[in-house]
Amino acid sequence: MTAATPDTAGPDTAGPDTAGPDTAGPDTAGIVRRVVVDELRANQVTASAPLDQVTDDLVLGSGGLGISSLLLLHIFVKLEASLGFTFEDAAVAGARFATVGDLVRFVTSAAPAPRRAGET
Amino acid sequence: MTSSDIVDIPRHWYNVAADLPFELPADLTPDQAGSATSQPVGRSMALQLPLALVRQTIGKTSEIAIPDPVRELYRAWRPTPLLRAHRLEQALGTKARIYYKYEGGNVSGSHKLATAIAQAFYYRSAGVQRLTTGTGAGQWGTALAVACRSFGLACKVYMVAGSFTQKPQRKTIMQLHGADVVPSPSLDTRSGKLARDRKIDGGNMAFAVTEALEDALASQGSALSVGSGEAYSILHSTVIGLEADEQLAKLGERPDVVLASLGAGSNFGGIALPFLKYKLRDSKHTVRCVSVESSACPKLTQGVYRYDYTDGSGVTALQKMYTLGHRFRTHNMHAGGLRYHACSKLISALYHHKWTEAVAYTQTDVFASAVQFTQLEGILPAPESAHAVHGAIQEALRARQDGTSPVILFCLSGHGLYDMSSYAEYLEGRMENVVIDDDAIRSSLGYLPDVEARGQRPS
């Protein structure tokens, strides 16, 4: 199952405000962690864990980073802008997220494969 | 009357976020407010809202394309007519030109169908099979029932018990479209049963939404849909103002003042924001946008600009908005759609930064204007819409006094054919005004989460 579509916002969606790279490369996990931290700071969320040590086993919600379901949705939209593709609504809606690792695995599996040199 | 509905349905909604000269305050999680009913520790999250709606909420693209399937369904009743109230003008002896956008000519009877259709489309696209919601007067519940039917979704409506009893026809038309409708507090949720057992007065919009949320979280394939305060609801409703702008332009008119009743914001934002756009982009434009609220629920004119819960559960996000407190209760109020304790954070922020105005009127004055309007113009306004009628009449009378001739535009957001018991009460002299004293407001505000005082957000 793929959970992503290329970043060509159709007439039924509002695409991300800023275009990111064409593909998600091997640093997708790093980008996920960075966006999570940026959003936590931007929203002044008081996390139970230090933000410079966001590890995969950290809980996203209460008792961990304190991310609400609404903020997690915002993080997905920010990730679209950073990674340059849009997630399929149905795939996101059908998933469950407990830890940072859950989020990283979901985003990594959703990202389109990196393009090879010369590929258009 | 002059009709000028020879325009096409807009291809885009207008996103005012693109033109705001200020940032909207961030939402807070219940944890940040120290809520005792916040999310259980370590529980995994399932996301309720389609990403497409979130993109619309936080994006800053000015024009957001209306999906073709939504636009096709809009064709059943859009564009709606823009009418001029000639006889009302004559009766008032004013030189003001009064136009109104009539949104009651669809099967749901109100403006709510514009966002209901859009939301049902996006939820279905996200794989949701069933939507739950809370409704006050029943307009939103009816609109969502119609929209769910259009896209093959099941629908469960928790209707404020008082309205459920007062308006049995609302229940019937929702059922006619396949919805399951129960009075709130209901026996179908844990919170509803608790409220009934404790004889807690839960007959209000915030509690109905609480029940709908509990239901959605407990049911596979279900999601909560809300009809007024969310930014995307307001966005979808801008189709009203965009049409009106084009219709007025064809008549060579531009409004000096735009009015609409205020529940949580979709009706007011829907007609006003496409006109406010000109003012936001160019200070030479002087259009006034006036929200008309009920003096029985005066969130803008008597509330405070603070963080509060958007429903009664204490588990949803907190937003900074004008509020009377999520425990505020209003009784004997006929405009049930204006009973919500707060105003959306977008409309609240615009008011806070003085881009819009607000007035509040008593229901006997509002019904007097509604009767005058229906006798002269031939359309019976819903009690909520009648607030805009009354506001427009006050503007026209002021123009007569000042010797001016402004163009007044208001949104007649729905018809009142389900509200005959309210009109009967008015005609029989049994209607009383609801008096909200300062102590009642102060008491309710005492339950606000003390976010600002804890230093988490600047006031």
Side-chain angles (χ1 to χ4, degrees):
Chain A
M1 177 191 71
T2 176
T5 54
D7 187 14
T8 50
D12 56 338
T13 61
D17 291 327
T18 54
D22 288 336
T23 58
D27 196 31
T28 300
I31 293 173
V32 172
R33 292 192 186 93
R34 178 177 56 75
V35 169
V36 166
V37 170
D38 286 351
E39 285 301 296
L40 286 168
R41 288 193 171 126
N43 289 279
Q44 300 177 36
V45 175
T46 309
S48 303
L51 294 185
D52 55 353
Q53 296 169 24
V54 175
T55 54
D56 278 4
D57 59 338
L58 262 180
V59 170
L60 287 168
S62 285
L65 294 175
I67 294 173
S68 67
S69 57
L70 190 59
L71 182 55
L72 186 54
L73 283 160
H74 284 220
I75 287 171
F76 268 105
V77 177
K78 297 288 183 182
L79 283 169
E80 289 180 336
S82 294
L83 294 169
F85 64 85
T86 55
F87 296 97
E88 285 181 5
D89 262 328
V92 175
R96 297 191 74 90
F97 306 93
T99 64
V100 173
D102 292 342
L103 181 61
V104 168
R105 281 186 289 278
F106 179 87
V107 175
T108 303
S109 67
R115 291 178 190 160
R116 294 180 201 136
E119 196 175 23
T120 57
Chain B
M1 284 190 295
T2 301
S3 179
S4 60
D5 52 348
I6 314 163
V7 297
D8 199 5
I9 300 169
R11 295 189 176 278
H12 299 87
W13 294 300
Y14 168 60
N15 180 19
V16 73
D19 294 308
L20 290 181
F22 53 82
E23 290 294 325
L24 292 174
D27 296 348
L28 299 183
T29 64
D31 278 352
Q32 289 169 276
S35 169
T37 52
S38 59
Q39 187 186 54
V41 172
R43 176 183 279 188
S44 66
M45 284 183 272
L47 302 179
Q48 286 271 311
L49 195 63
L51 275 178
L53 292 176
V54 181
R55 292 186 197 107
Q56 294 174 356
T57 302
I58 66 175
K60 294 203 172 181
T61 307
S62 174
E63 292 185 336
I64 301 216
I66 302 176
D68 287 342
V70 172
R71 206 158 170 270
E72 281 309 305
L73 284 167
Y74 277 0
R75 286 197 187 285
W77 84 101
R78 307 210 73 90
T80 60
L82 178 81
L83 303 162
R84 183 168 170 186
H86 284 292
R87 280 186 284 213
L88 180 63
E89 291 170 15
Q90 288 169 3
L92 296 174
T94 181
K95 289 182 178 173
R97 301 191 290 289
I98 305 174
Y99 293 91
Y100 59 100
K101 184 78 167 153
Y102 182 48
E103 291 292 319
N106 65 72
V107 68
S108 79
S110 83
H111 73 288
K112 298 278 188 184
L113 195 54
T115 184
I117 291 284
Q119 288 191 41
F121 168 78
Y122 288 118
Y123 277 104
R124 191 197 63 169
S125 301
V128 170
Q129 294 142 12
R130 174 177 176 269
L131 289 176
T132 69
T133 197
T135 192
Q139 291 173 334
W140 168 245
T142 309
L144 192 67
V146 171
C148 283
R149 188 72 175 176
S150 300
F151 287 106
L153 301 173
C155 183
K156 175 74 173 275
V157 179
Y158 292 85
M159 185 173 184
V160 171
S163 296
F164 186 88
T165 306
Q166 277 178 359
K167 303 179 184 182
Q169 299 91 345
R170 275 283 177 199
K171 177 184 72 174
T172 303
I173 194 162
M174 286 187 262
Q175 290 172 330
L176 197 67
H177 288 86
D180 178 11
V181 190
V182 293
S184 172
S186 76
L187 293 171
D188 293 3
T189 65
R190 188 186 59 80
S191 51
K193 285 178 194 160
L194 201 62
R196 284 186 170 215
D197 288 347
R198 295 180 181 177
K199 301 196 185 308
I200 294 171
D201 174 20
N204 66 81
M205 186 61 190
F207 194 85
V209 174
T210 300
E211 287 203 272
L213 175 62
E214 182 187 327
D215 180 327
L217 291 173
S219 310
Q220 186 74 21
S222 292
L224 169 73
S225 174
V226 290
S228 188
E230 299 298 330
Y232 51 80
S233 299
I234 298 169
L235 171 84
H236 304 150
S237 303
T238 59
V239 69
I240 300 167
L242 290 166
E243 282 178 9
D245 189 17
E246 194 175 342
Q247 289 166 320
L248 282 170
K250 282 187 181 295
L251 296 171
E253 297 275 40
R254 173 166 278 180
D256 296 292
V257 56
V258 181
L259 303 104
S261 60
L262 183 79
S266 68
N267 173 38
F268 174 70
I271 192 159
L273 295 183
F275 293 98
L276 187 64
K277 169 182 67 181
Y278 297 116
K279 191 172 178 177
L280 288 165
R281 291 178 179 178
D282 184 348
S283 59
K284 288 200 292 289
H285 286 272
T286 56
V287 62
R288 294 169 50 224
C289 296
V290 182
S291 55
V292 187
E293 57 185 16
S294 166
S295 62
C297 193
K299 45 243 183 180
L300 284 183
T301 53
Q302 292 191 57
V304 295
Y305 191 47
R306 291 267 301 274
Y307 274 95
D308 195 9
Y309 298 105
T310 53
D311 73 353
S313 71
V315 301
T316 53
L318 290 95
Q319 297 187 333
K320 188 161 187 176
M321 52 192 180
Y322 278 90
T323 180
L324 295 165
H326 59 280
R327 295 200 183 188
F328 183 77
R329 301 285 181 269
T330 297
H331 302 277
N332 303 319
M333 176 183 170
H334 290 272
L338 308 188
R339 197 160 28 193
Y340 187 56
H341 66 279
C343 172
S344 79
K345 75 170 183 179
L346 171 61
I347 303 302
S348 288
L350 284 166
Y351 179 70
H352 181 70
H353 290 279
K354 305 190 188 312
W355 287 99
T356 65
E357 304 170 27
V359 290
Y361 296 118
T362 60
Q363 60 185 3
T364 53
D365 287 345
V366 164
F367 270 76
S369 290
V371 169
Q372 182 181 26
F373 182 83
T374 195
Q375 289 173 349
L376 291 166
E377 299 297 330
I379 298 176
L380 184 70
E384 294 81 6
S385 317
H387 285 71
V389 173
H390 186 67
I393 287 175
Q394 300 315 302
E395 289 286 340
L397 292 174
R398 194 173 304 123
R400 183 181 70 184
Q401 193 175 351
D402 296 345
T404 57
S405 53
V407 173
I408 298 168
L409 170 67
F410 71 91
C411 188
L412 191 63
S413 55
H415 68 66
L417 296 174
Y418 293 118
D419 301 281
M420 299 316 293
S421 61
S422 297
Y423 278 99
E425 196 171 303
Y426 173 77
L427 291 176
E428 293 161 12
R430 293 185 285 114
M431 182 177 287
E432 293 179 359
N433 285 325
V434 180
V435 179
I436 304 295
D437 60 38
D438 291 345
D439 286 344
I441 294 175
R442 201 175 302 119
S443 170
S444 172
L445 293 176
Y447 292 101
L448 285 182
D450 206 2
V451 175
E452 280 87 353
R454 286 152 49 115
Q456 290 185 314
R457 282 288 181 283
S459 59

